[in-house]
């Protein structure tokens, strides 16, 4: 069978007893980076006396996932196969979903172990009271695609969680300060690690706090919901679609409400007509 095994996102003590047992029983390890996985297993062996008998390590990452999975024979999973991402939960901003799909389509038994995930941990530490939230992962790095996705994020009626690298953190805070200067934002740094820290305030306030300190490490950004949009949304998407106006004008209205591009809205309208 296949076991999807989450790995610590920073603190090695977050490994579970169940995960250690699965690793001791594993025959083959599929992983993003074999070097990182072997290093983790070495640390687990030193600290928790992990005794494994893994025969083979196979690299499976975002660039070779499709080809590697298609090269497997169904009988490959007659042994104990484990998939591990470099850090955190497989399938969440990491490969793994295609493996699960392969198992479902081929009747292969699989299970997913619970474990560390940066965005759920950060949300629990944010102080936001909303019970519903949206996770968007990483924004596109630049260009029109980034702007369109950012506008969608800012128009949501729920808290939105993003991942951001230290190289683009200042850029994101500047974008947020320009577009939503009064909205509350939480920035969580290095979740579970030695220098873990939570910052909370407007984008401008966060920039003053963060840029003065070290911005190294991975960041989770949580943006409070667009309450104004929630309170004033008297018109629905169906209302706009039913308006007796030219399709191009209708597409522009839909783009403003949804945060999608005018072209995408126009194409969807054309497909429905």
């Amino acid at each position: 069978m296949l076991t999807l095994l989450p790995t610590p996102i920073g603190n090695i003590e977050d490994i579970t007893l169940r995960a250690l047992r699965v690793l001791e029983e594993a025959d083959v390890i599929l992983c993003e980076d074999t070097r990182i996985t072997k290093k983790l297993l070495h640390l687990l062996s030193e600290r928790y006396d992990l005794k494994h008998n893994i025969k083979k390590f196979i690299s499976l990452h975002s660039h070779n996932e499709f080809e590697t999975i298609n090269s497997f024979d169904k009988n490959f999973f007659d042994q104990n196969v484990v998939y591990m991402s470099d850090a955190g939960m497989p399938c969440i901003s990491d490969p793994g979903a295609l493996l699960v799909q392969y198992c479902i389509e081929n009747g292969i038994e699989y299970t997913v172990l619970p474990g560390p995930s940066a965005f759920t941990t950060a949300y629990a530490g944010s102080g936001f009271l909303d019970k519903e939230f949206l996770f968007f992962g990483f924004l596109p790095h630049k260009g029109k695609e980034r702007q369109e996705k950012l506008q969608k994020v800012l128009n949501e009626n729920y808290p939105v969680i993003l991942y951001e690298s230290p190289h683009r953190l200042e850029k994101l805070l500047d974008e947020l300060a320009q577009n939503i200067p009064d909205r509350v934002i939480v920035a969580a740094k290095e979740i579970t690690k030695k220098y873990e820290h939570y910052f909370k305030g407007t984008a401008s306030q966060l920039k003053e706090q963060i840029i003065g300190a070290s911005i190294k490490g991975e960041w989770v950004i949580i943006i409070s919901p667009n309450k104004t949009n929630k309170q004033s949304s008297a018109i629905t998407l169906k209302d706009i679609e039913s308006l007796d106006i030219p399709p191009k004008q209708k597409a522009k209205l839909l783009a403003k409400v949804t945060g999608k591009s005018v072209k995408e809205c126009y194409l969807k309208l054309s497909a429905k007509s």
Side-chain angles (χ1 to χ4, degrees):
M1 67 176 292
L2 169 71
T3 301
L4 285 88
L5 189 149
T7 54
I9 55 178
N11 192 324
I12 196 171
E13 294 179 1
D14 290 333
I15 196 72
T16 66
L17 294 175
R18 186 180 174 197
L20 290 173
R21 177 181 59 78
V22 168
L23 288 172
E24 288 189 334
E25 297 172 354
D27 298 310
V28 179
I29 295 287
L30 306 176
C31 52
E32 287 188 88
D33 189 319
T34 57
R35 295 165 300 180
I36 291 175
T37 297
K38 288 177 181 178
K39 182 178 179 181
L40 174 61
L41 292 178
H42 177 71
L43 292 172
L44 293 174
S45 298
E46 285 188 333
R47 184 169 298 192
Y48 300 110
D49 195 29
L50 172 70
K51 294 180 175 63
H52 65 81
N53 188 33
I54 300 166
K55 302 178 182 70
K56 194 172 185 180
F57 292 84
I58 299 174
S59 177
L60 191 150
H61 47 73
S62 58
H63 299 294
N64 74 350
E65 188 176 14
F66 185 80
E67 293 80 7
T68 302
I69 292 171
N70 282 336
S71 72
F72 292 149
D73 185 275
K74 186 177 176 180
N75 295 330
F76 176 76
F77 293 94
D78 288 344
Q79 56 192 334
N80 289 324
V81 181
V82 172
Y83 174 72
M84 303 165 60
S85 55
D86 286 346
M89 178 64 71
C91 308
I92 308 296
S93 289
D94 281 319
L98 284 178
L99 264 176
V100 174
Q101 184 180 15
Y102 179 91
C103 289
I104 293 171
E105 291 174 349
N106 291 278
I108 297 167
E109 186 179 357
Y110 70 93
T111 188
V112 182
L113 274 56
S117 183
F119 80 88
T120 53
T121 306
Y123 192 75
S126 70
F128 287 142
L129 302 180
D130 305 73
K131 299 301 181 185
E132 299 173 309
F133 58 85
L134 299 173
F135 173 63
F136 276 74
F138 287 97
L139 291 174
H141 293 176
K142 57 185 178 180
K144 184 179 179 182
E145 188 181 3
R146 178 182 176 87
Q147 290 305 313
E148 289 176 354
K149 183 57 70 72
L150 181 62
Q151 288 305 311
K152 178 173 174 57
V153 165
L154 302 183
N155 283 327
E156 294 293 350
N157 297 328
Y158 303 95
V160 172
I161 306 176
L162 303 173
Y163 285 159
E164 191 54 276
S165 72
H167 312 294
R168 287 183 294 274
L169 179 64
E170 188 172 358
K171 175 183 178 180
L172 176 61
L173 291 176
D174 286 339
E175 290 170 325
L176 296 178
Q178 181 179 357
N179 287 278
I180 50 168
D182 301 320
R183 297 253 291 274
V184 176
I185 298 162
V186 169
K189 172 187 177 181
E190 293 282 83
I191 295 294
T192 79
K193 300 177 185 176
K194 181 179 180 180
Y195 296 106
E196 173 185 286
H197 196 83
Y198 288 84
F199 302 87
K200 191 169 186 175
T202 64
S204 296
Q205 290 169 341
L206 290 187
K207 186 175 179 182
E208 289 182 10
Q209 298 174 52
I210 292 171
I211 302 305
S214 172
I215 62 172
K216 292 181 179 178
E218 296 302 319
W219 291 81
V220 182
I221 306 297
I222 309 172
I223 303 169
S224 59
N226 185 353
K227 297 292 187 181
T228 303
N229 189 32
K230 195 170 186 177
Q231 294 171 355
S232 62
S233 57
I235 186 169
T236 67
L237 297 181
K238 287 187 177 180
D239 292 332
I240 296 175
E241 290 174 358
S242 64
L243 292 174
D244 186 19
I245 57 176
K248 286 187 178 179
Q249 293 182 23
K250 197 180 295 186
K252 287 181 180 179
L253 287 173
L254 288 169
K256 286 189 176 181
V257 172
T258 62
K260 297 179 181 178
S261 68
V262 175
K263 181 179 179 181
E264 185 179 355
C265 293
Y266 184 82
L267 290 174
K268 284 189 176 182
L269 286 172
S270 300
K272 288 181 180 181
S273 61

